[in-house]
Amino acid sequence: MLLTVAVIGAPHGLRGEVRLDLRTDDPERRLAVGNVLETEPADAGPLTVTRARTAPDGATFVIFDEARDRTAAEALRGVRLVVESDEDEGDDDEGWYPHELVGLRAVHVDGRELGTVAALEHLPAQDVLVVTEPDGGEARVPFVAELVPDVDPGAGTVTLDPPRGIFAGDPAEWEDEGEDEEAGTDEGAGTRA
């Protein structure tokens, strides 16, 4: 499976430097000088990193050996830098595209329906799943393994383990209800299967 390392953004300056929209948790390894990265579309690459830097505002900029001027850098705008997944890869979510996730049913780890995935937002710190709840509200769940333990396009589902407060019909409320029931009399304790 191909994982997206970054999406190439606007050129910066005249010498081919471009800004990257990072999608990896390990930019130092993925964008090390000398690394050769495949691209989508494939005919835009492969691209060899000759310089990488992080600006004071956290933005990442690179120069590729194959694009040494602003015109060549502008032609790369929107190109995805991709790598084959490997055993060391920690987050499967790097490989998901918005079109693969939008429309999937969002279910809680206990099986309760939470809504439908409406979008995948790419924020500076991490990607975020936008889920439309049954009442029409929106919830945003950071797309990390701890909160999104399973994505199964074949089953049409994404499984979530959200913290308290993210959803209006918060699973935390369900847990509290369960605790109240368990804290009730002994008569109720024996009725559950």
Side-chain angles (χ1 to χ4, degrees):
M1 179 170 93
L2 289 177
L3 302 178
T4 302
V5 173
V7 177
I8 299 175
H12 185 75
L14 301 175
R15 297 185 180 164
E17 188 173 55
V18 292
R19 183 179 182 130
L20 295 183
D21 177 7
L22 291 180
R23 307 291 168 84
T24 179
D25 292 333
D26 194 3
E28 292 80 17
R29 177 170 69 108
R30 297 296 193 190
L31 300 172
V33 171
N35 277 6
V36 178
L37 298 162
E38 296 300 321
T39 61
E40 284 187 355
D43 62 358
L47 298 173
T48 307
V49 178
T50 58
R51 179 175 178 229
R53 69 180 179 90
T54 302
D57 67 356
T60 299
F61 296 91
V62 298
I63 296 176
F64 298 107
D65 191 46
E66 296 79 6
R68 292 300 196 129
D69 61 40
R70 186 175 182 91
T71 302
E74 181 64 45
L76 294 175
R77 192 178 214 164
V79 169
R80 290 181 175 272
L81 302 174
V82 296
V83 295
E84 284 288 338
S85 64
D86 58 44
E87 293 176 8
D88 298 330
E89 197 60 45
D91 293 324
D92 292 337
D93 58 296
E94 289 182 75
W96 297 107
Y97 293 105
H99 72 271
E100 296 174 299
L101 300 169
V102 171
L104 295 181
R105 287 182 304 112
V107 296
H108 190 267
V109 290
D110 68 7
R112 297 178 192 262
E113 294 280 338
L114 297 174
T116 304
V117 176
L120 175 65
E121 293 181 345
H122 302 294
L123 303 180
Q126 66 202 1
D127 289 349
V128 173
L129 281 179
V130 179
V131 178
T132 301
E133 298 181 72
D135 67 0
E138 282 191 346
R140 285 176 166 69
V141 181
F143 198 4
V144 295
E146 295 79 19
L147 303 182
V148 187
D150 186 52
V151 177
D152 187 349
T157 61
V158 57
T159 304
L160 306 178
D161 190 8
R164 294 176 181 265
I166 288 185
F167 286 89
D170 196 330
E173 294 173 13
W174 304 329
E175 290 170 13
D176 292 343
E177 288 170 10
E179 288 169 10
D180 292 343
E181 288 175 16
E182 289 173 14
T185 63
D186 290 339
E187 293 172 14
T191 59
R192 290 190 177 189

